[in-house]
Amino acid sequence: MPMAIRLGSEYGLHFFEPRYRVLISEVMSSFSVSARRGERISPVLPGLFPNTNNRCSEVSGKIKELMAKNDDILNKHHLPTFIHAHQSPLRPNTPVTIVQVRQCRIQPDGSADVFLEPVGYMWLEQIWERLGTGGLVEARGIRMGKEASDSYEMWCAMSGFGRGDGRGWGQMLPIP
């Protein structure tokens, strides 16, 4: 796992623990089988074309045309998404990353290789372990705005130097 996760910079993980097998199985359940076999994941738009009468054919054609023009918007909002808590301990106010699955290959044993793209950050508010999942943790939080996200990324990049803030061993700054 990368030390500093940056928005838009994809990274790969191998899920092998039972709790992460549950997570990826649930996150990918509404997507096609091909998406779980390593192919490019297409956005899911449930209920977009409710019936097939002539009027709907016209509308669906216009919607498809609009979707083609706005493919990048759809890809940002209709892909499998979850919270990646890459720091510990987990407690309120811990910063975490909102990630989207860009590619996923689930093996017959349930383990998976995934490529994730960070799309946002948030601060945890509530954290609880879901029973019967081998320790999978669920959470709620507050999404960081642009200024807070930029500050968090800068802090993460600087934390590789000295004692966490890039200022050297004797002068620590608080975590934003």
Side-chain angles (χ1 to χ4, degrees), residues 15 17-24 26-27 81-92 94 96-97 122 124-141:
F15 291 157
E17 292 182 39
R19 61 184 167 171
Y20 299 127
R21 292 177 188 197
V22 169
L23 168 71
I24 200 64
E26 290 179 0
V27 167
T81 304
F82 64 92
I83 299 169
H84 179 198
H86 49 90
Q87 300 183 38
S88 63
L90 293 181
R91 57 180 173 231
T94 300
V96 296
T97 306
M122 63 188 290
L124 295 179
E125 281 189 315
Q126 297 175 323
I127 303 130
W128 63 96
E129 184 177 324
R130 200 166 88 193
L131 297 176
T133 60
L136 183 62
V137 176
E138 293 187 357
R140 287 196 182 118

Side-chain angles (χ1 to χ4, degrees), residues 98-144:
I98 302 166
V99 296
Q100 290 182 330
V101 181
R102 294 302 183 164
Q103 193 170 12
C104 175
R105 182 165 187 86
I106 300 176
Q107 304 299 325
D109 68 356
S111 65
D113 295 304
V114 296
F115 281 97
L116 306 172
E117 181 180 350
V119 295
Y121 299 113
M122 63 188 290
W123 290 287
L124 295 179
E125 281 189 315
Q126 297 175 323
I127 303 130
W128 63 96
E129 184 177 324
R130 200 166 88 193
L131 297 176
T133 60
L136 183 62
V137 176
E138 293 187 357
R140 287 196 182 118
I142 299 171
R143 189 167 183 152
M144 290 185 197

